[in-house]
């Protein structure tokens, strides 16, 4: 049986789970409604107490929407961070925290990290299995956008060759991200540092011209200003990695003795299998740390998974509380029309018909609240995604998927079964007492 289940497509599994969750509701509906037409009475009750019903539906929708929005947002954040790191196969840096280094090199979060020297870079760049060894130099900014020094090959790889304008060809030129706030032909002076502590005058008189514009990638690099790594070194009064007689040449090879250092090197291997050999080889050197950002993200996702479980528990607790509120609310609402139901019973209406009216009325409210909750959840996830994208520069898109639909259906099914309780309580009241109420 397990093998049969595993052989089913994912969509078929999701649909099967959804049907299984709705099965109790469908069975109760068939048993109660068979042979009866209580729908005109249900519609009348919904309209007669429409404002109370509306508040009840909004309560249900808010609860369902909060749970759905949080779960959808967590999944969207996971997908967005993975997409932003997809171009970074391996990062080599000085020994330290892999997470800190990944946040600095991949997500461009300002960090104070040690540097790799020229000998270490030379070892990486000249390895026969290395296709791209891109030094990354950061520390400056412009209007909040990080200024990153690197090499032209990495810019080409990052943009898949789709650059509006051209690559930088000499020191003092820049290629900017789609959200950096600059366009081709603009000139600017970089600021030293980031944020409120950035120094506007540290590099005064040093102009950089924008010659290219990167396509949007949905990563923090959309706000980056990419310049030759030599420019970063020169701006800070350091050697530029080349002998004086080489003129204004930029890019590798670099002279190890004139290489000022780099916080990290982004490595792309010629073959996929070579990544693992390169990581072992570079890490064994003792003065370097090589890691896969994907592996670090996996560990981070494991922590996020724990957070997701905590969020799921909170959502379940919320749903339980709302389910209790639903029962109490249905009981209160049923008190509003107990005289009408008592008259039905006095006129000889079958007990199952009266029970079908009360149960159908409650399920109608629950279905309306659940559907509206899905809409609220989609809206909440969209708003949260915009906030997270604005704060992190990671494109996060969260939509409603099968996990959220399953959560909503589970809530609807469970509360629909529990809605039998108010219906039973209505039938348990004496007819005369209800008529006098």
């Amino acid at each position: 049986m397990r093998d049969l289940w595993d052989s089913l497509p994912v969509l078929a599994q999701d649909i099967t789970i959804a049907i299984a969750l709705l099965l109790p509701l469908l069975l109760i509906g068939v048993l109660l409604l068979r042979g009866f037409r209580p729908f005109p009475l249900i519609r009348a009750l919904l309209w007669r107490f429409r404002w109370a019903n509306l508040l009840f539906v909004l309560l249900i929708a808010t609860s369902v929407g909060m749970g759905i929005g949080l779960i959808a947002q967590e999944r969207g954040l996971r997908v967005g961070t993975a997409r932003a790191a997809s171009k970074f196969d391996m990062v080599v840096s000085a020994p330290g925290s892999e997470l800190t280094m990944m946040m600095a090199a991949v997500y461009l979060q300002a960090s104070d990290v040690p540097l790799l020297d020229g000998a270490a870079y030379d070892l990486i760049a000249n390895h026969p299995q290395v296709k791209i060894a891109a030094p990354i130099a950061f520390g400056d900014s412009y209007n909040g956008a990080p200024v990153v020094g690197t090499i032209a090959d990495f810019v080409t790889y990052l943009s898949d060759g789709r650059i509006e304008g051209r690559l930088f060809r000499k020191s003092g030129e820049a290629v900017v991200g789609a959200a950096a706030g600059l366009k081709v032909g603009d000139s600017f002076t970089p600021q030293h540092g980031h944020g409120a502590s950035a120094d506007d005058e540290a590099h005064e008189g040093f102009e950089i011209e924008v010659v290219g514009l990167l396509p949007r990638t949905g990563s923090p690099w959309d706000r980056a200003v990419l310049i030759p790594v030599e420019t970063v070194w020169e701006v800070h009064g350091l050697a530029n990695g080349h002998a004086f007689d080489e003129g204004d040449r930029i890019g590798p090879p670099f002279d190890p003795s004139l290489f000022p250092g780099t916080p990290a090197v982004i490595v792309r291997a010629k073959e996929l299998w070579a990544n693992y050999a390169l990581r072992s080889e570079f890490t064994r050197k003792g003065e370097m740390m090589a890691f896969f950002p994907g592996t670090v993200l996996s560990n981070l996702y494991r922590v996020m998974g724990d957070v997701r479980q905590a969020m799921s528990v909170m959502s379940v607790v919320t749903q339980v509380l709302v389910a209790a509120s639903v029962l109490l609310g249905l009981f209160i609402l049923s008190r509003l029309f107990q005289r009408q139901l008592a008259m039905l019973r006095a006129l000889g209406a079958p007990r199952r018909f009266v029970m079908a009216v009360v149960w159908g009325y409650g399920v109608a409210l629950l279905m309306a609240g659940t559907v509206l909750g899905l809409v609220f959840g989609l809206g909440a996830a969209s708003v949260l995604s915009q906030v997270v994208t604005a704060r992190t520069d990671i494109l996060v898109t969260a939509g409603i998927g099968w996990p959220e639909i399953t959560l909503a259906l589970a809530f609807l099914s469970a509360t629909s079964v529990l809605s039998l309780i108010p219906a039973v309580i209505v039938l348990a009241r004496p007819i005369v007492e209800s008529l006098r109420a």
Side-chain angles (χ1 to χ4, degrees):
M1 195 67 179
R2 178 68 182 182
D3 294 337
L4 176 61
W5 175 258
D6 292 337
S7 65
L8 293 175
V10 176
L11 179 60
Q13 293 180 356
D14 291 331
I15 293 176
T16 303
I17 293 173
I19 294 174
L21 289 172
L22 287 176
L23 196 57
L25 186 153
L26 297 175
L27 289 176
I28 294 173
V30 170
L31 291 175
L32 284 181
L33 304 179
R34 178 175 51 87
F36 294 140
R37 295 185 59 190
F39 303 108
L41 273 177
I42 293 173
R43 285 197 297 269
L45 291 174
L46 291 173
W47 179 252
R48 173 67 178 82
F49 306 103
R50 52 189 177 275
W51 297 116
N53 294 334
L54 178 60
L55 291 175
F56 196 64
V57 168
L58 290 176
L59 169 67
I60 298 171
T62 302
S63 169
V64 173
M66 287 175 59
I68 286 175
L70 288 175
I71 293 176
Q73 183 59 38
E74 188 273 341
R75 188 180 67 250
L77 182 60
R78 183 177 302 207
V79 172
T81 53
R83 181 175 55 239
S86 61
K87 287 285 188 178
F88 298 81
D89 298 340
M90 182 191 300
V91 177
V92 183
S93 66
S97 168
E98 292 182 355
L99 179 60
T100 299
M101 200 63 248
M102 182 189 72
M103 296 302 294
V106 177
Y107 298 105
L108 301 181
Q109 300 296 310
S111 300
D112 186 11
V113 295
L115 304 179
L116 288 175
D117 59 20
Y121 176 78
D122 191 61
L123 176 67
I124 299 169
N126 291 320
H127 195 284
Q129 288 297 331
V130 171
K131 182 177 181 180
I132 298 176
I136 302 294
F138 40 76
D140 292 339
S141 64
Y142 176 71
N143 284 346
V147 175
V148 183
T150 187
I151 60 175
D153 286 346
F154 180 68
V155 179
T156 301
Y157 167 67
L158 197 64
S159 64
D160 294 321
R162 297 180 293 115
I163 299 177
E164 179 183 334
R166 62 174 175 84
L167 278 171
F168 47 68
R169 297 172 183 166
K170 62 181 181 179
S171 182
E173 294 182 338
V175 176
V176 300
L182 293 166
K183 59 182 183 296
V184 176
D186 289 345
S187 295
F188 67 95
T189 298
Q191 302 164 307
H192 185 69
H194 295 265
S197 61
D199 187 352
D200 297 336
E201 301 178 357
H203 307 313
E204 189 175 359
F206 198 98
E207 290 288 327
I208 296 178
E209 180 186 2
V210 178
V211 297
L213 181 65
L214 294 173
R216 189 172 292 276
T217 63
S219 75
W221 291 79
D222 285 341
R223 295 188 65 248
V225 176
L226 304 180
I227 61 177
V229 67
E230 292 88 348
T231 303
V232 175
W233 293 330
E234 291 169 357
V235 166
H236 293 88
L238 304 172
N240 65 2
H242 304 290
F244 183 75
D245 57 7
E246 292 187 66
D248 294 330
R249 186 177 72 80
I250 62 171
F254 296 102
D255 186 336
S257 63
L258 299 174
F259 189 90
T262 180
V265 179
I266 309 301
V267 176
R268 180 168 174 79
K270 294 179 179 179
E271 303 289 344
L272 180 61
W273 62 264
N275 282 307
Y276 299 94
L278 291 173
R279 181 182 64 172
S280 299
E281 184 173 347
F282 294 152
T283 301
R284 278 202 307 265
K285 299 302 177 181
E287 298 180 356
M288 292 187 292
M289 174 181 68
F291 64 92
F292 302 142
T295 302
V296 180
L297 278 177
S298 297
N299 296 330
L300 187 59
Y301 292 157
R302 190 175 300 114
V303 176
M304 291 177 64
D306 295 338
V307 174
R308 180 188 177 93
Q309 291 179 0
M311 290 166 54
S312 299
V313 170
M314 292 175 59
S315 178
V316 169
V317 171
T318 303
Q319 303 303 325
V320 170
L321 294 175
V322 171
S325 302
V326 166
L327 292 178
L328 179 60
L330 288 176
F331 177 76
I332 294 173
L333 290 174
S334 66
R335 299 277 294 185
L336 295 176
F337 48 84
Q338 61 179 332
R339 293 182 63 187
Q340 291 85 342
L341 296 176
M343 290 180 63
L344 284 176
R345 294 168 61 192
L347 292 172
R351 294 172 65 87
R352 185 164 62 86
F353 177 81
V354 177
M355 192 172 182
V357 171
V358 178
W359 182 81
Y361 167 75
V363 170
L365 295 178
L366 290 168
M367 291 182 64
T370 302
V371 172
L372 188 59
L374 287 171
V375 177
F376 282 5
L378 180 60
S382 177
V383 171
L384 288 173
S385 296
Q386 293 178 13
V387 172
V388 173
T389 299
R391 293 291 182 88
T392 64
D393 296 319
I394 299 173
L395 179 61
V396 176
T397 54
I400 300 300
W402 279 104
E404 291 75 34
I405 294 175
T406 300
L407 176 65
L409 292 180
F411 171 80
L412 174 61
S413 183
T415 50
S416 296
V417 173
L418 294 175
S419 297
L420 289 171
I421 298 176
V424 172
I425 293 175
V426 167
L427 291 176
R429 294 194 192 111
I431 296 178
V432 175
E433 179 182 332
S434 297
L435 289 173
R436 289 175 176 174

